[in-house]
Amino acid sequence: MGLFSKTSTRRGVIEVGWLIQDPKHSVIFFPPERVTHRTQNQPHAKSASRCPAILDVESRYFRVRCPYDIHLRFTRDKTGKPTLKNMLGDQSPIRRKQLSRIVHLMAEAEWRSPQHPILQITAPYVFLSDAPVMMSQLPPLMEYQPNPLPGVIMSGRLPIDVWPRPLNWAFEWHDTKKDLILRRGNPWYYVTCETDQPDCPIRMVEAELTDELTAYMEKIGDTVGYVSRTFSLFKMAERMRPKRLLVRKA
């Protein structure tokens, strides 16, 4: 996956693009932002806000904020089938029809543990690059959570130079006696990048959903419904990949 590195590195900076795949509702989604905890007016030379090791780590993580207000409870119906209850009811800012489209409780047979339900929330964020970049999706590990979630945000790692596709938010529910509450604007997840040039900084830019990119994403989309091990398709996708995917949005 090193065929495109020469076209993507500019003055020692590797560009990673982001976009919202569905432009109809793009106004509700927050742009990714670099993680930083720098405090103003810290004159001490040894302040933690000036530590180069801390600053370097923070510069390589990008925060994605939650676009929704959601309050769910895990239950089982009379037949024992797992189900979700919208605890906001008529007060929910998301209509029932839209909520059912974005929140999906995985089939019980697909859980990692029979005691821990897994749900996914659809998110139209797509990340891409013309350099060889492995992107990891992680919990917001550098954020204080006054009300911790009753489970684990599931992480993933993909080569976004050959596999640009929407990143769903996946959650494994460990304490099903507690509700899952998400607040719009709170840290939702992080993304971080690994490259073949570890000293190069990452620049996150908004990308254009070009016709070439759309056509390529259609070729690799929904493959999980047909193939169990999609990682085996990376080499084939690389051969089909257009020379350029990342076009900055004007």
Side-chain angles (χ1 to χ4, degrees):
M1 291 185 293
L3 298 178
F4 312 105
S5 58
K6 292 183 180 179
T7 64
S8 59
T9 304
R10 193 180 303 166
R11 285 176 291 180
V13 175
I14 294 178
E15 288 193 343
V16 170
W18 71 275
L19 58 87
I20 302 299
Q21 188 182 29
D22 185 359
K24 291 185 295 184
H25 312 111
S26 59
V27 70
I28 72 172
F29 297 99
F30 299 92
E33 57 192 35
R34 197 179 299 274
V35 174
T36 179
H37 295 93
R38 300 178 189 178
T39 305
Q40 300 294 329
N41 302 320
Q42 281 289 350
H44 200 290
K46 300 300 182 181
S47 168
S49 64
R50 295 187 177 187
C51 174
I54 293 175
L55 296 179
D56 188 59
V57 167
E58 290 184 345
S59 71
R60 298 176 184 278
Y61 285 82
F62 296 84
R63 178 193 296 114
V64 175
R65 295 185 179 274
C66 183
Y68 309 116
D69 281 307
I70 293 177
H71 185 166
L72 299 174
R73 180 170 295 171
F74 176 80
T75 62
R76 292 183 180 272
D77 62 18
K78 295 180 180 179
T79 65
K81 181 180 178 181
T83 186
L84 297 174
K85 182 177 181 180
N86 179 13
M87 300 306 294
L88 294 179
D90 293 339
Q91 301 302 312
S92 173
I94 307 176
R95 293 184 186 274
R96 183 180 302 177
K97 184 178 180 180
Q98 274 72 29
L99 188 64
S100 64
R101 287 177 179 174
I102 63 173
V103 178
H104 309 281
L105 183 62
M106 291 179 61
E108 192 167 2
E110 298 178 2
W111 301 352
R112 294 193 297 190
S113 165
Q115 289 79 35
H116 303 150
I118 296 177
L119 64 84
Q120 290 190 348
I121 297 181
T122 301
Y125 287 95
V126 177
F127 296 90
L128 62 147
S129 178
D130 286 326
V133 173
M134 293 292 294
M135 173 170 280
S136 296
Q137 182 185 24
L138 302 165
L141 48 92
M142 288 183 275
E143 311 278 352
Y144 171 66
Q145 304 290 343
N147 299 300
L149 299 179
V152 177
I153 298 173
M154 302 179 71
S155 302
R157 182 171 176 267
L158 290 170
I160 58 173
D161 52 311
V162 295
W163 209 253
R165 56 179 302 165
L167 287 182
N168 289 336
W169 186 82
F171 180 74
E172 188 174 56
W173 209 324
H174 282 241
D175 189 350
T176 53
K177 294 180 181 179
K178 295 182 179 179
D179 295 350
L180 172 63
I181 301 174
L182 300 176
R183 300 296 187 197
R184 174 173 167 81
N186 282 355
W188 204 25
Y189 63 84
Y190 284 176
V191 294
T192 188
C193 299
E194 305 163 52
T195 73
D196 56 3
Q197 303 174 68
D199 293 336
C200 287
I202 303 295
R203 178 188 295 138
M204 189 78 70
V205 298
E206 188 171 4
E208 193 75 49
L209 185 60
T210 63
D211 293 340
E212 273 192 321
L213 176 58
T214 300
Y216 181 64
M217 290 175 61
E218 288 177 353
K219 293 177 183 177
I220 65 174
D222 200 29
T223 53
V224 70
Y226 303 92
V227 180
S228 294
R229 299 186 178 183
T230 54
F231 274 39
S232 64
L233 303 176
F234 289 166
K235 287 295 183 182
M236 186 178 297
E238 187 175 4
R239 291 194 292 268
M240 302 169 62
R241 180 197 191 280
K243 185 176 180 180
R244 186 182 184 192
L245 290 178
L246 176 52
V247 176
R248 279 196 181 200
K249 189 169 186 178

